[in-house]
Amino acid sequence: MKNQTITSALSALALATLFSTGTALAHSQHDHSSLPIGWTFDSKVMSKIEKNMNMGQTKIGMNSLEQKMLAGYGIGVGNSFNTRIGNQTIKVTRTNSGIRLGNPVKQYADGTQENLPLHRNAQMVRSSFTENHPGHDHQHLALSWVFNPAIEGKIHDNRVLNGSSGAIGLSTKEQKTLDRYGIKVGNSFNANVDGMTYTVKRTSMGLSLLKYVEGRTVASVEGANNDAY
């Protein structure tokens, strides 16, 4: 969607948000705190956001997988966070059925934020295939991924408790999450584990911890970074 179309849609959405805020805040059982998080939605969710914006709608429905992904990173119903749409950053609130779009915010208006689950400034490089594994893409992706606490816990246990085999199994839901962001079986990428940067490879069963990348830092859910959008 073109930037000028996004700008016009955001102006209309800002007005609609003024009328919906009072109703949303009435649900006192929800945590309405603003999280220092910049969230990167996958292409399927972004398509829904853009479609609803074009119709002047502030509410976007999300399926079970999309909802559980937010929950897995500690984003509860009622919590708000930032996301990038076109050339603007806007405030988004999680609802019972999905998300509600709010007003545009100034960059760093909320101070330092964590970008989840990957850094938007990183670009995926062109995919390539090897002859010995024609069904797998063995390209290293130039992105920094942030695992949720559950997966990072699996990796930690593998390193500390299970003899560092390097193989980490993922559930079907966890595998689908990587699919949604274009991380294919055979791809490798960087991620933070226990405060250290590793190269991680996606396998048919989950993940494989390949090597420690000395002197490089990427984000983790527990920390904070200055690479906010």
Side-chain angles (χ1 to χ4, degrees):
M1 188 170 59
K2 295 181 179 180
N3 287 337
Q4 56 265 38
T5 303
I6 294 173
T7 301
S8 298
L10 284 173
S11 297
L13 290 172
L15 181 60
T17 301
L18 292 176
F19 294 96
S20 62
T21 301
T23 302
L25 292 177
H27 300 286
S28 57
Q29 69 271 27
H30 294 156
D31 176 8
H32 295 279
S33 59
S34 179
L35 305 178
I37 289 172
W39 185 266
T40 303
F41 287 109
D42 65 72
S43 59
K44 289 186 178 181
V45 176
M46 283 301 300
S47 179
K48 287 193 285 187
I49 291 174
E50 293 173 355
K51 180 179 178 179
N52 278 267
M53 288 177 66
N54 283 332
M55 295 187 296
Q57 300 293 324
T58 62
K59 296 180 179 179
I60 292 89
M62 299 176 71
N63 63 33
S64 176
L65 175 65
E66 294 160 351
Q67 290 266 33
K68 287 180 179 179
M69 185 174 183
L70 294 177
Y73 283 81
I75 302 175
V77 174
N79 287 157
S80 60
F81 52 94
N82 294 336
T83 195
R84 189 75 174 175
I85 300 178
N87 62 350
Q88 297 193 61
T89 299
I90 67 170
K91 184 69 68 177
V92 175
T93 301
R94 185 182 169 195
T95 67
N96 285 313
S97 59
I99 56 174
R100 184 179 68 253
L101 304 180
N103 297 319
V105 297
K106 294 181 179 180
Q107 191 174 26
Y108 308 116
D110 295 328
T112 301
Q113 67 181 27
E114 186 70 82
N115 292 325
L116 306 175
L118 55 81
H119 295 294
R120 285 194 63 93
N121 67 326
Q123 298 293 323
M124 292 186 186
V125 294
R126 187 182 182 88
S127 297
S128 65
F129 295 84
T130 59
E131 293 182 0
N132 59 328
H133 294 289
H136 293 168
D137 177 356
H138 293 276
Q139 185 65 52
H140 179 81
L141 305 180
L143 61 85
S144 296
W145 184 266
V146 183
F147 291 115
N148 66 29
I151 297 178
E152 189 163 356
K154 290 182 184 181
I155 300 174
H156 171 83
D157 290 345
N158 177 275
R159 291 181 58 253
V160 177
L161 304 177
N162 300 332
S164 299
S165 66
I168 298 94
L170 294 180
S171 67
T172 300
K173 180 187 71 174
E174 292 164 343
Q175 294 263 29
K176 286 182 177 179
T177 296
L178 296 179
D179 288 336
R180 294 287 290 261
Y181 284 87
I183 300 177
K184 303 174 183 178
V185 173
N187 286 160
S188 60
F189 52 95
N190 287 345
N192 181 276
V193 180
D194 294 337
M196 297 182 292
T197 303
Y198 284 85
T199 295
V200 179
K201 183 177 182 179
R202 183 179 175 191
T203 67
S204 57
M205 298 299 294
L207 302 169
S208 178
L209 201 64
L210 298 181
K211 63 181 179 178
Y212 169 55
V213 184
E214 186 175 4
R216 300 190 63 181
T217 303
V218 296
S220 66
V221 174
E222 300 299 325
N225 76 90
N226 294 318
D227 190 25
Y229 51 73

